[in-house]
Amino acid sequence: MMKIFNVQHQQPLERLAPAGRIGVIALATDFNIEMDLSRMYPDDVQFFTSRVKNINPLTIENLRTMAPGITETAATLLPGTQLDAIMYACTSGTIAIGVERITQLIQQVQPNVPVTNPVTSALAAFDQFKAKKISILTPYTEAVNQEVADFFSNQGYEVLSIAGFGFEDDTAMTYITAQDIQDAALATCDEEADLMFISCTALRASLVLDTLEAKLKIPVISSNQALTWHSLQLLQYPKRVTGFGRLLLQKHL
């Protein structure tokens, strides 16, 4: 005859991720965001991912089709559990949909939770280094790059150069090697730039940030590095993170 028992825990329940819990809204096709965040987040911070449907090819019009799904996706992030911050993890999507709109869509179902995105994070990073003149590297087409350059120009930055790999497939962007990212950044960064920004959460740029900064002698910011840094700022995380560029060594805002 089977025996059935009730047991009681003897130790106090542990709070997992004692330093903070971060919700991540990733694109359905993004291979890279979780790998990058796993490399950069400290062990006492955890992130939890839900994915929003997106459409290839990557165009501004197709990026805007994500907007209706953002609220539904945000609602699936650890329902019933308090999150300390939420990120929408698409740089070009943020430019296409708009920073304020994305925050509004998320906070409809996650009220009072701080929200960030790659654009807000990047702008905060630019300000951290007092950068005025920037070079940008992306995986995007010329049409999307024009929108990206116009956005940052309208924010008051002088975009000295923008270069793109010309990809329209979001998944394929992740297949661009770290070596190609490094070589392209070195080849296209303007010598007058105060800072270089490598745009797109799908690019594995975190692997070459230290090397690029050593060679270029300026801060190099990537979308995922900026998201990591800014979300840690929202948590008021006290420690610095080494191995991924100068930004993660900076103090709180």
Side-chain angles (χ1 to χ4, degrees), residues 59-156:
T59 64
I60 293 297
E61 293 74 20
N62 282 346
L63 287 165
R64 289 182 177 134
T65 67
M66 274 189 284
I70 291 174
T71 301
E72 180 180 351
T73 304
T76 68
L77 288 165
L78 292 186
T81 301
Q82 181 64 36
L83 293 167
D84 299 296
I86 295 174
M87 66 172 69
Y88 169 71
C90 181
T91 317
S92 53
T94 302
I95 290 172
I97 298 168
V99 169
E100 292 183 3
R101 178 64 174 151
I102 286 169
T103 299
Q104 179 188 46
L105 290 167
I106 293 170
Q107 291 186 334
Q108 284 179 18
V109 290
Q110 297 278 2
N112 304 316
V113 179
V115 173
T116 189
N117 58 73
V119 171
T120 297
S121 299
L123 291 173
F126 297 173
D127 288 346
Q128 180 75 19
F129 290 110
K130 298 179 171 56
K132 299 298 182 185
K133 300 178 180 181
I134 62 173
S135 281
I136 303 173
L137 175 65
T138 85
Y140 316 135
T141 62
E142 287 187 16
V144 175
N145 273 351
Q146 187 62 60
E147 296 282 345
V148 172
D150 288 347
F151 175 86
F152 286 110
S153 294
N154 290 336
Q155 298 299 311

Side-chain angles (χ1 to χ4, degrees), residues 182 185-186 198 208-217 220:
Q182 177 177 307
L186 292 174
I198 303 178
V208 294
L209 293 172
D210 276 351
T211 300
L212 285 173
E213 288 189 338
K215 291 178 179 293
L216 293 172
K217 310 299 183 187
V220 179

